[in-house]
Amino acid sequence: MMRILIVFIFYLTVSSAFGTAIGGYEGDTPNVELQVSVNGQAIAGERELEKLSSTVTEQELRAAFDQSLISLTKGQSVQLTVEMIEPNGMRSDVTANPAMFYDAVGKGALSVSNDGLVTALSDSSGATIGQLLVLYNTPEKSGFNYVYFDTDPDK
């Protein structure tokens, strides 16, 4: 579990440093939030955990991260739902929107389709934590989030 926390802190640091340059345009600043859900349950992604980190202890942050891990056994798939939340509070489902981009980051623990179907790869070269970038980008609106998957929940 300590390895998971170290990986999370590394990703949090890197994405915080580069978070203002998303999509294809240098200098894009996120102006919408992306809330990721699985089976109707909202998942605390990196953006939510980043906000939480300034108000809680390291132990509380670790617990929040552990609770946000999406468990998948190798070969199992799960459908994400991505909701865009605009500054005025308006929400819309953008899961399969052409402006959505999904990218499995890391050592090949995950694959993801254009409509947010995530699969834990059966041959993942020993990787047990997968990170998934969820990105919405148009000239008017942009936002991103990262969610984490535990592809070997029995370890």
Side-chain angles (χ1 to χ4, degrees):
M1 204 42 68
M2 180 56 90
R3 178 174 58 139
I4 293 170
L5 180 63
I6 291 169
V7 168
F8 169 69
I9 292 171
F10 170 75
Y11 284 132
L12 183 63
T13 304
V14 170
S15 69
S16 294
F18 296 107
T20 57
I22 62 172
Y25 308 100
E26 186 66 33
D28 277 358
T29 301
N31 59 4
V32 297
E33 296 291 326
L34 297 180
Q35 176 65 64
V36 179
S37 300
V38 174
N39 298 325
Q41 180 178 352
I43 303 299
E46 187 169 298
R47 301 283 291 174
E48 292 85 7
L49 293 170
E50 183 179 327
K51 290 175 189 172
L52 184 64
S53 69
S54 64
T55 62
V56 300
T57 67
E58 183 177 331
Q59 185 177 10
E60 292 168 321
L61 183 60
R62 180 181 300 149
F65 174 74
D66 291 345
Q67 291 173 356
S68 72
L69 277 173
I70 303 164
S71 295
L72 288 179
T73 56
K74 297 197 185 304
Q76 183 182 9
S77 296
V78 66
Q79 177 64 53
L80 301 181
T81 301
V82 181
E83 195 172 42
M84 178 176 60
I85 306 168
E86 298 189 45
N88 65 4
M90 191 169 93
R91 294 173 171 260
S92 54
D93 185 341
V94 293
T95 305
N97 188 297
M100 278 300 303
F101 174 76
Y102 301 95
D103 188 29
V105 181
K107 294 183 177 183
L110 304 170
S111 68
V112 61
S113 70
N114 291 340
D115 63 351
L117 182 66
V118 180
T119 302
L121 299 176
S122 56
D123 182 25
S124 61
S125 306
T128 60
I129 297 296
Q131 181 188 32
L132 182 74
L133 168 65
V134 178
L135 172 69
Y136 182 87
N137 199 20
T138 68
E140 300 82 29
K141 299 175 186 172
S142 62
F144 72 99
N145 210 337
Y146 288 93
V147 290
Y148 297 89
F149 293 81
D150 182 354
T151 61
D152 195 0
D154 296 327
K155 269 193 173 181

